[in-house]
Amino acid sequence: MLYREAGQFKTNYVADSAIFPLREDRIGLAVIILAAYALAFLGNSFVLQAVMIPFLVFSLAAIGLNILTGYTGLLSLGTGAFMGVGAYACYKLMTAFPGVNVIVWIFVSGFFSAAVGALFGLPSLRIKGFYLAVATLAAQFFLQWCFIRIPWLVNYNVSGALDAPLRTLFGIPIMGPNATPQTRYLLVLTIVILLTWLASNLVHGRIGRMWIAIRDMDLAAELMGIRPLQTKLLAFAVSSYYCGVAGALLVFLWYGGAEYDVFNINQSFFILFMVIIGGLGSLIGSFFGAALIFILPIVLGIVLPAALSPFGLSVGADVIEHLRFMIVGALIIFFLIVEPHGLARLWQIGKQKLLVWPFPY
Amino acid sequence: MSFRTMSLGLAAATMLAGTALPAFAQDSIYVPLFTYRTGPFAGSGTFIADGMHDYLEMLNQRDGGIGGVKLVLEECETGYDTKKGVECYEAVKGKNPVIVNPWSTGITLPLIPRASVDKIPILSMAYGLSASARGDIFPWVFNPPATYWDGLSMIIKFIGEKEGGLDKLKGKKIGFIHLDAAFGKEPIPLLQDLAKDIGFEVALYPVAAQDMQNQSSQWLSARRDRPDYMIMWGWGSMNGAAVKEAVRSGYPMDKFYSVWWPSEDDARSGGAGAKGFKELNWHAVGANFPALQDIQKHVIDKGLSKAAKDKVGEVLYNRGVYNSLLIAEGIAQAQKLTGKKAVTGEDVRRGMENIKLDAARLKELGLEGFTDQLVLSCNDHNGHRAAFMQEWDGSKWVKISNPIEPMTDRVKSQLDGAAKDYAEKNAGWPKRTETCDKAS
């Protein structure tokens, strides 16, 4: 009823090829962004610190992996390590040049990750599919090994851990223990919106079409004049850039300090699951995937005890943990059976149904 | 249709989530317990969790809490995962916790800078950041009764005495098998310093967290290198696997030493061959203490605990009890200092600095002879207490030494260096502003 295409006329090509051709979509997006900013002032510190900041960080990492796996069709298991490169690079840069604002270093640290990602992406020209996954697994293990073995990366800290020093923006602390969840959330939100907007322009433009062509059939793409090596390496670099920035955000704006173990293989799988559940080749799917994999267990952790207590059942934290695993696991299987293309596809179907509601044809 | 049900469900879930946070009455003290009964470290974490919970629950059942104020206990499952640990911290932060016990070095590290901002003291009992023993630099962090550096120096001292003097270690080879994480790597600088000064050789055998249960390559190397002694810094399933592999590779078990974390189950996994395996400890094993009997009576027999009856008194269970003893003592001291009943995190921080567990106080608590005395102060948040060596006799731990004092002179320089280093690297690390209470 409210969501209707009728009456919206496009009078030029630019309007017709817009990412959000429907007025309702544009309004909806604006409302979501406004609500996200409003949440900074309405949500309590648990919601911001333990739910929203990690959700945004993981969404960003999932967008990164989606560019590689979803848009270019290259399977990677090195996401955790590429996030680590971003975090360690950011740490080295901001401790070596404390005079430069840390936000600059967060963005710059992604380039280090991009370079490393491109390097490990080199074999992608020759090997594909699961074999490439194994090659990126090598990146995961090698980089993780570096994080433990090279004390220079953590400025010879005895604890071998990264820690977030105090950094400010306009005199307000944005990093370190004194930074409130509110300021950190606003910062993360702004960075994620900015980079998502950039990614959206990338994947809908010439470069994105090249990636998709390579994904759908690399031989045909090559015959059409797309250079596979450059295109694949670019995908690796851009993907790693996003992961690197996400890694820097994870350590310095969420944890506030971390060990090398944060960037282990589990982290890579975690992000990969988000991408698969959310929807391969979809930006909004990255957000859905992050929400399902990360937020759902937290909600369950709060809802389950409350739901069970009226029945006189008081269950321990460990039982809740097991229940969380089982429910999230069952839901993942459920969603994959109902819609193998992920939550993004469900969203799309829902929107299409809404467009014709209440007169389906 | 499915969308409507889904969105309805989601809406209901969010509403429930909003109301689920229980409100706590003012006349109670909220003590969150970060535990892990799941995941690869559950083999160690479960005993600790039971010990911690049961002692505090016993105080609730027997005395109605501490100083007449009931303790509200809540477990938060971390799975030894930093991500979940930080989530737990955020979840409990709003409920005015008086102290947090992260029970993981990985979780402790990100919490250390937050402690002073959130006014929640951290008790990382004999783990975490060794440098946080310096109360003047880390007023909100407590890691009694000894640091890992203390522990390592005690093992070296014990070995040295067995050889007939530290200088006799010259030319020997000492193997160090450790979890490849901040925790396991912490003693290495001290070990290398000692190696240089005394003249022994060090062979490192790191075990990555993902290969904890498969240590054949490390023990194969150990068989080739033939170290005269092996020292282990492990946790979770690593300990049991190490004992098993050591037995299998024929390493002489009486030359195998560990820091204070292996449990009875870990030693048992080596079978009869594990006899002679030694570890440090600072508290008694067994349930032959009035307080532990009370746990049996008031908690276990009433079915309020998850622990099996025969696990009470095992080394890691008692470790959990010791941890809770410190929490309870911190709260009791805080009540004494402030005169308040329902104390806050800030009060308990002061209470912790005034902990004085001497023989008389331990007797009063029903734990006479359970552990050596412990005195904390504003500057010393650790105590650097002596520990003793215990040996596995095939079925239980047997105390085989007198208390071994740490090599304070060596440890202190490491500690001061590390603490200064930490404060310098964290530019803007706050100077201690918390005033110091006179010892009561």
Side-chain angles (χ1 to χ4, degrees), chain A residues 195-339:
Chain A
L195 286 177
T196 311
W197 171 72
L198 195 70
S200 144
N201 277 305
L202 268 181
V203 298
H204 286 98
R206 185 178 58 89
I207 295 171
R209 280 156 203 268
M210 275 160 51
W211 287 337
I212 292 170
I214 290 279
R215 174 191 72 189
D216 289 345
M217 197 175 186
D218 53 352
L219 200 61
E222 200 175 351
L223 289 174
M224 283 193 294
I226 295 169
R227 296 176 159 190
L229 181 67
Q230 278 89 332
T231 314
K232 285 179 176 178
L233 284 190
L234 185 65
F236 260 102
V238 174
S239 156
S240 305
Y241 179 87
Y242 276 79
C243 294
V245 172
L249 294 180
L250 177 132
V251 173
F252 300 110
L253 293 178
W254 175 22
Y255 282 3
E259 277 189 294
Y260 80 94
D261 198 42
V262 171
F263 305 108
N264 63 13
I265 181 86
N266 288 343
Q267 190 74 276
S268 303
F269 281 126
F270 201 61
I271 310 281
L272 185 63
F273 295 155
M274 287 177 186
V275 171
I276 293 174
I277 305 287
L280 288 163
S282 157
L283 292 180
I284 195 161
S286 309
F287 287 91
F288 286 150
L292 186 81
I293 301 261
F294 183 79
I295 299 186
L296 188 67
I298 297 180
V299 173
L300 282 177
I302 299 169
V303 169
L304 282 176
L308 291 174
S309 59
F311 303 104
L313 290 169
S314 101
V315 286
D318 51 330
V319 182
I320 297 287
E321 188 66 20
H322 291 144
L323 282 176
R324 269 185 182 185
F325 271 118
M326 288 191 276
I327 295 176
V328 172
L331 275 176
I332 288 173
I333 295 172
F334 171 77
F335 278 122
L336 285 184
I337 289 173
V338 170
E339 185 48 70

Side-chain angles (χ1 to χ4, degrees), chain A residues 44-46 49-50 58 91 141 144 148-149 154-159 161 163-166 177-178 181 184 254-257 259-262 267 270 294 298-299 302-303 306 316-318 321-322 324-325 335 346-347 350, chain B residues 3 6 13-14 16-17 20-21 35 37-38 75-77 81-84 86-87 90-91 93 105-107 109-110 113-114 117 129 149 180-183 185-186 189 206 208-210 306 418 421-422 425-429:
Chain A
N44 61 17
S45 85
F46 175 76
Q49 169 69 29
F58 283 130
Y91 182 69
F141 288 134
Q144 211 182 328
I148 317 173
R149 304 281 159 208
V154 291
N155 290 341
Y156 304 97
N157 261 0
V158 199
S159 59
D163 35 44
L166 178 69
N178 287 313
R184 278 182 289 126
W254 175 22
Y255 282 3
E259 277 189 294
Y260 80 94
D261 198 42
V262 171
Q267 190 74 276
F270 201 61
F294 183 79
I298 297 180
V299 173
I302 299 169
V303 169
D318 51 330
E321 188 66 20
H322 291 144
R324 269 185 182 185
F325 271 118
F335 278 122
L346 280 177
W347 173 254
Chain B
F3 271 98
M6 235 171 69
T14 5
L16 265 172
L21 303 171
T35 57
R37 298 167 185 276
T38 64
E75 282 190 31
C76 188
E77 174 73 30
D81 179 2
T82 309
K83 190 165 54 206
K84 285 199 197 129
V86 174
E87 184 200 318
E90 289 303 324
K93 201 174 84 178
T105 299
I107 302 173
L109 295 173
R114 295 194 195 174
V117 179
L129 190 71
W149 290 327
D180 206 351
F183 145 66
K185 289 200 299 182
E186 193 156 3
Q210 65 268 23
K306 291 199 178 71
D421 199 42
Y422 186 97
K425 283 200 179 121
N426 285 274
W429 186 253

Side-chain angles (χ1 to χ4, degrees), chain B residues 363-377:
Chain B
K363 189 172 179 184
E364 196 181 328
L365 293 167
L367 289 164
E368 191 183 10
F370 182 70
T371 178
D372 202 8
Q373 64 162 335
L374 176 74
V375 181
L376 299 184
S377 69

Side-chain angles (χ1 to χ4, degrees), chain A residues 8-281:
Chain A
Q8 297 187 36
F9 301 110
K10 317 285 189 307
T11 50
N12 55 35
Y13 285 115
V14 177
D16 197 38
S17 60
I19 292 169
F20 297 106
L22 284 183
R23 195 193 305 118
E24 286 84 356
D25 277 349
R26 290 193 293 272
I27 296 171
L29 188 72
V31 169
I32 290 172
I33 290 178
L34 270 179
Y37 275 103
L39 191 66
F41 304 96
L42 301 172
N44 61 17
S45 85
F46 175 76
V47 170
L48 294 181
Q49 169 69 29
V51 180
M52 288 312 291
I53 293 179
F55 162 67
L56 289 169
V57 169
F58 283 130
S59 300
L60 191 64
I63 288 175
L65 185 60
N66 222 334
I67 286 173
L68 191 63
T69 306
Y71 284 96
T72 322
L74 302 169
L75 192 55
S76 163
L77 291 176
T79 323
F82 296 140
M83 288 171 79
V85 173
Y88 281 88
C90 189
Y91 182 69
K92 284 307 287 184
L93 285 168
M94 72 180 172
T95 47
F97 308 100
V100 183
N101 195 292
V102 69
I103 295 178
V104 174
W105 290 139
I106 289 177
F107 283 111
V108 171
S109 62
F111 289 111
F112 286 81
S113 182
V116 174
L119 185 69
F120 282 99
L122 277 176
S124 65
L125 186 65
R126 290 294 176 89
I127 50 182
K128 285 176 201 156
F130 290 118
Y131 302 97
L132 182 65
V134 174
T136 53
L137 202 60
Q140 171 71 40
F141 288 134
F142 173 73
L143 291 171
Q144 211 182 328
W145 182 89
C146 289
F147 299 153
I148 317 173
R149 304 281 159 208
I150 308 177
W152 175 79
L153 286 174
V154 291
N155 290 341
Y156 304 97
N157 261 0
V158 199
S159 59
L162 296 171
D163 35 44
L166 178 69
R167 291 289 184 269
T168 56
L169 177 69
F170 310 127
I172 304 163
I174 52 170
M175 195 181 278
N178 287 313
T180 61
Q182 198 181 32
T183 47
R184 278 182 289 126
Y185 170 72
L186 286 173
L187 189 62
V188 173
L189 181 66
T190 311
I191 291 175
V192 170
I193 289 177
L194 206 66
L195 286 177
T196 311
W197 171 72
L198 195 70
S200 144
N201 277 305
L202 268 181
V203 298
H204 286 98
R206 185 178 58 89
I207 295 171
R209 280 156 203 268
M210 275 160 51
W211 287 337
I212 292 170
I214 290 279
R215 174 191 72 189
D216 289 345
M217 197 175 186
D218 53 352
L219 200 61
E222 200 175 351
L223 289 174
M224 283 193 294
I226 295 169
R227 296 176 159 190
L229 181 67
Q230 278 89 332
T231 314
K232 285 179 176 178
L233 284 190
L234 185 65
F236 260 102
V238 174
S239 156
S240 305
Y241 179 87
Y242 276 79
C243 294
V245 172
L249 294 180
L250 177 132
V251 173
F252 300 110
L253 293 178
W254 175 22
Y255 282 3
E259 277 189 294
Y260 80 94
D261 198 42
V262 171
F263 305 108
N264 63 13
I265 181 86
N266 288 343
Q267 190 74 276
S268 303
F269 281 126
F270 201 61
I271 310 281
L272 185 63
F273 295 155
M274 287 177 186
V275 171
I276 293 174
I277 305 287
L280 288 163

Side-chain angles (χ1 to χ4, degrees), chain B residues 282-431:
Chain B
W282 67 81
H283 57 72
V285 198
N288 213 358
F289 300 93
L292 285 159
Q293 298 298 333
D294 284 345
I295 290 182
Q296 286 277 15
K297 197 170 103 195
H298 294 283
V299 184
I300 310 259
D301 292 347
K302 282 189 193 166
L304 294 170
S305 168
K306 291 199 178 71
K309 206 163 180 164
D310 58 329
K311 294 290 176 199
V312 177
E314 287 209 343
V315 60
L316 289 186
Y317 185 92
N318 282 10
R319 189 73 42 81
V321 169
Y322 185 89
N323 188 110
S324 281
L325 169 69
L326 296 180
I327 300 175
E329 196 58 15
I331 294 173
Q333 289 297 333
Q335 287 173 333
K336 209 154 98 185
L337 277 173
T338 59
K340 281 194 286 189
K341 290 253 168 203
V343 286
T344 63
E346 280 169 285
D347 304 329
V348 172
R349 192 199 65 76
R350 291 169 58 196
M352 291 297 292
E353 285 188 341
N354 283 287
I355 278 189
K356 197 168 165 225
L357 279 169
D358 50 14
R361 178 70 181 149
L362 283 169
K363 189 172 179 184
E364 196 181 328
L365 293 167
L367 289 164
E368 191 183 10
F370 182 70
T371 178
D372 202 8
Q373 64 162 335
L374 176 74
V375 181
L376 299 184
S377 69
C378 295
N379 285 327
D380 183 5
H381 278 197
N382 184 282
H384 303 287
R385 296 304 310 166
F388 58 84
M389 197 61 81
Q390 61 186 18
E391 188 176 285
W392 182 250
D393 76 345
S395 60
K396 61 179 187 308
W397 292 111
V398 182
K399 186 173 173 177
I400 55 160
S401 83
N402 290 324
I404 313 162
E405 292 289 336
M407 304 182 195
T408 315
D409 46 334
R410 287 181 181 281
V411 174
K412 194 160 178 353
S413 59
Q414 285 275 348
L415 193 75
D416 292 347
K420 217 176 105 211
D421 199 42
Y422 186 97
E424 262 170 22
K425 283 200 179 121
N426 285 274
W429 186 253
K431 283 242 173 332

Side-chain angles (χ1 to χ4, degrees), chain B residues 6-296:
Chain B
M6 235 171 69
S7 48
L8 272 176
L10 213 69
T14 5
M15 270 164 63
L16 265 172
T19 53
L21 303 171
F24 288 110
Q26 278 303 302
D27 53 348
S28 64
I29 297 172
Y30 177 62
V31 185
L33 301 173
F34 288 18
T35 57
Y36 35 101
R37 298 167 185 276
T38 64
F41 295 89
S44 303
T46 308
F47 300 129
I48 303 259
D50 287 334
M52 282 206 294
H53 169 269
D54 292 357
Y55 182 77
L56 294 175
E57 186 62 44
M58 183 272 287
L59 293 181
N60 264 346
Q61 296 292 328
R62 189 189 64 185
D63 312 336
I66 299 172
V69 188
K70 209 156 174 66
L71 303 173
V72 178
L73 305 176
E74 189 179 48
E75 282 190 31
C76 188
E77 174 73 30
T78 69
Y80 201 75
D81 179 2
T82 309
K83 190 165 54 206
K84 285 199 197 129
V86 174
E87 184 200 318
C88 277
Y89 180 78
E90 289 303 324
V92 303
K93 201 174 84 178
K95 304 182 197 170
N96 299 322
V98 292
I99 197 159
V100 293
N101 311 264
W103 272 108
S104 144
T105 299
I107 302 173
T108 310
L109 295 173
L111 297 190
I112 286 175
R114 295 194 195 174
S116 60
V117 179
D118 297 334
K119 310 278 177 218
I120 303 168
I122 295 172
L123 174 58
S124 56
M125 189 188 71
Y127 57 85
L129 190 71
S130 289
S132 56
R134 284 279 304 267
D136 51 341
I137 296 178
F138 299 93
W140 290 86
V141 188
F142 297 84
N143 58 353
T147 66
Y148 284 138
W149 290 327
D150 293 324
L152 180 76
S153 73
M154 288 183 232
I155 295 180
I156 297 288
K157 207 165 154 183
F158 185 82
I159 296 174
E161 273 166 22
K162 257 184 102 171
E163 290 279 335
L166 270 182
D167 48 319
K168 292 277 187 348
L169 284 176
K170 200 177 159 109
K172 299 264 186 219
K173 188 185 264 179
I174 295 184
F176 185 71
I177 184 160
H178 62 97
L179 184 68
D180 206 351
F183 145 66
K185 289 200 299 182
E186 193 156 3
I188 294 176
L190 178 65
L191 185 65
Q192 277 163 343
D193 266 19
L194 287 168
K196 213 164 28 185
D197 292 357
I198 301 173
F200 59 81
E201 207 184 316
V202 174
L204 299 177
Y205 306 103
V207 180
Q210 65 268 23
D211 324 318
M212 283 194 308
Q213 300 183 21
N214 173 23
Q215 298 170 23
S216 40
S217 73
Q218 283 86 358
W219 287 97
L220 216 60
S221 318
R223 202 155 146 182
R224 190 191 56 222
D225 301 345
R226 298 181 176 282
D228 296 286
Y229 292 96
M230 279 296 265
I231 300 176
M232 174 164 71
W233 239 252
W235 184 227
S237 56
M238 176 181 161
N239 289 332
V243 173
K244 214 186 302 178
E245 281 294 337
V247 173
R248 192 179 297 160
S249 69
Y251 190 81
M253 287 311 275
D254 58 327
K255 305 216 156 155
F256 188 15
Y257 292 80
S258 172
V259 74
W260 37 68
W261 296 120
S263 68
E264 276 85 352
D265 285 357
D266 294 331
R268 251 177 235 135
S269 65
K275 221 167 125 174
F277 175 51
K278 295 179 195 62
E279 71 166 330
L280 285 173
N281 194 2
W282 67 81
H283 57 72
V285 198
N288 213 358
F289 300 93
L292 285 159
Q293 298 298 333
D294 284 345
I295 290 182
Q296 286 277 15

